[in-house]
Amino acid sequence: MKYVVCVPDGCADEPLAELGGRTPLQAASTETLDRLAARAELGRAAVIPQGLPPGSDVGNMSIFGYDPARYHTGRAPIEAAALGLKLRPDQVAYRCNLVTVGDDGTMVDFAGGHPGNEAAAAAIEALDAALGGDGLELHPGVQYRHILVAPAEWAEAECTPPHDLTGKPAVGPTGPAAPFLQRVMDTSRDVLAGSGLAANQVWLWGQGFQPQMPSFQHAYGLDAALVTAVDLVRGLGVLTGIEVVDLETATGWYDTDYEGKRDVALDALADGADLFVIHVEATDEAGHAGDVEEKVRALENWDRRILAGLVEGLDRLGPWRLLLLPDHATPLALRTHTPDPVPYLLVDSAVDGPGGTYTEAGVADLPVVPGHELMARLVGRR
Ligand SMILES: [Zn+2]
């Protein structure tokens, strides 16, 4: 048996006037998805447990079959894993954004003007030279997204994600460790002055210790692999021993290589992997941009450029089961994530389910199941 998990990031939405009162899932023309849904088990998945933030880290952890209420410690350690960092028990990781704060103290840009990787790395290395040692390490990541590793006692702080502060007063951390964090952020203002970057300081948030997740092989007895362009999803793969397949043409944007993702999935499954996770970010990006047309197009791309050929390829490999769901909703009207349950579809190549339509309305009256339990259902462990 082969298993595939399809994650159209943030695809769930709400009815929109621009779409004649339909959601993107209702408006998109998705022949293969419709055909699968007609013989699938459908329902609603609570991918974001109550009280946790509706982030892709939490939602994808659920989809991978791990209860975030038990395993999620913060966002930063997952991204640290994506960078190849292994935290010791006496270390905590923080997300370290390059940000732009105005003279009046408002958060102007949580992404610090989207610096190039090289210029950003130079700034982070300069900061490491100024502050590193004494258990502090700064590690360059991608663009504005970097990692600070600090002693465990630095974990005791309440921090606000900088993207929640846009246009508002950039209120710093509180709690016992706040003075340590504030010193790093203040020092970064001196280091970044004259760097030529639009960013003028770092912002620390999203801290956590290394999550203690059993390997996917241990938890589910299967060899798994995944493809994604997103650090968080890559990090979850590293933490669970799910092989991350590199695909240079995966961009995390509308122009990503849909066929390439489909083909690496089929190749890995043909080469012996039992389960493959295909993650595509385009639907979420369209949601954040409020771009109705791109969100519908991304769903149609999923259907024509991934699902159609995927089903054909899977049929050639033998019996299969497929699970499809997003990691959270990213409604176009809100342009941000919501914690509401999302529609899921579980289909078996040989056994017909009750069938239905894979839309928000199509599952509205169906029961809600914890998102992290779907993996066990997919692989027949319950
Ligand atoms: Zn997401």
Side-chain angles (χ1 to χ4, degrees):
M1 181 71 83
K2 299 292 182 184
Y3 305 95
V4 181
V5 179
C6 296
V7 186
D9 198 296
C11 77
D13 212 300
E14 291 161 8
L16 288 161
E18 293 99 310
L19 296 174
R22 295 172 301 172
T23 67
L25 273 172
Q26 289 174 312
S29 155
T30 53
E31 197 187 316
T32 301
L33 184 59
D34 297 352
R35 193 156 44 81
L36 292 176
R39 45 183 299 277
E41 171 197 322
L42 297 149
R44 289 184 294 157
V47 277
I48 309 293
Q50 215 163 23
L52 285 179
S56 297
D57 46 346
V58 176
N60 280 294
M61 189 179 274
S62 286
I63 292 175
F64 281 28
Y66 296 83
D67 183 359
R70 177 166 175 196
Y71 294 109
H72 188 266
T73 63
R75 180 184 175 115
I78 301 173
E79 297 189 36
L83 290 180
L85 302 174
K86 254 203 156 88
L87 302 176
R88 296 191 311 260
D90 63 345
Q91 290 179 314
V92 61
Y94 272 86
R95 251 296 288 278
C96 176
N97 276 47
L98 285 168
V99 300
T100 310
V101 175
D103 291 338
D104 60 353
T106 57
M107 181 66 69
V108 174
D109 186 355
F110 70 86
H114 290 271
N117 289 341
E118 258 176 55
I124 294 300
E125 277 154 20
L127 197 57
D128 189 54
L131 282 168
D134 288 341
L136 280 196
E137 304 164 16
L138 283 125
H139 296 275
V142 177
Q143 279 198 358
Y144 61 92
R145 308 188 298 273
H146 309 282
I147 295 290
L148 170 78
V149 176
E153 55 269 27
W154 284 46
E156 295 291 312
E158 300 291 323
C159 306
T160 311
H163 50 260
D164 288 348
L165 291 171
T166 303
K168 297 181 195 162
V171 180
T174 57
F180 304 138
L181 304 175
Q182 195 61 54
R183 187 175 65 86
V184 171
M185 286 158 61
D186 290 346
T187 306
S188 73
R189 294 187 74 91
D190 301 331
V191 173
L192 286 168
S195 68
L197 294 177
N200 57 6
Q201 72 165 78
V202 297
W203 193 265
L204 301 173
W205 64 286
Q207 76 271 28
F209 296 102
Q210 175 112 355
Q212 300 302 315
M213 301 165 78
S215 75
F216 190 84
Q217 170 61 247
H218 181 82
Y220 293 99
L222 297 171
D223 279 329
L226 68 84
V227 68
T228 183
V230 171
D231 289 346
L232 279 173
V233 180
R234 173 179 287 268
L236 285 169
V238 172
L239 289 168
T240 56
I242 296 179
E243 185 195 347
V244 182
V245 177
D246 285 314
L247 179 65
E248 291 219 340
T249 45
T251 62
W253 189 243
Y254 306 144
D255 62 355
T256 198
D257 185 359
Y258 287 88
E259 290 86 355
K261 291 195 175 181
R262 174 199 68 201
D263 291 345
V264 295
L266 287 170
D267 287 350
L269 293 166
D271 281 350
D274 302 306
L275 182 145
F276 200 96
V277 182
I278 304 174
H279 174 268
V280 177
E281 183 74 354
T283 28
D284 181 61
E285 291 289 352
H288 286 294
D291 194 325
V292 178
E293 208 176 303
E294 285 293 356
K295 192 157 186 183
V296 171
R297 183 175 299 137
L299 288 165
E300 294 181 344
N301 280 333
W302 253 107
D303 196 71
R304 277 204 306 277
R305 299 172 62 188
I306 295 183
L307 291 176
L310 182 66
V311 167
E312 275 182 37
L314 286 170
D315 280 337
R316 282 194 293 273
L317 292 175
W320 53 267
R321 305 185 82 189
L322 180 147
L323 172 67
L324 183 145
L325 77 166
D327 52 337
H328 51 77
T330 312
L332 285 151
L334 302 176
R335 298 178 64 161
T336 190
H337 304 173
T338 65
D340 307 331
V342 296
Y344 78 84
L345 171 157
L346 181 57
V347 63
D348 185 305
S349 61
V351 183
D352 281 348
T357 49
Y358 186 76
T359 59
E360 298 81 355
V363 302
D365 297 327
L366 296 173
V368 176
V369 299
H372 70 271
E373 291 182 3
L374 287 173
M375 182 60 80
R377 275 160 90 142
L378 172 70
V379 305
R381 283 294 190 87
R382 52 180 288 142

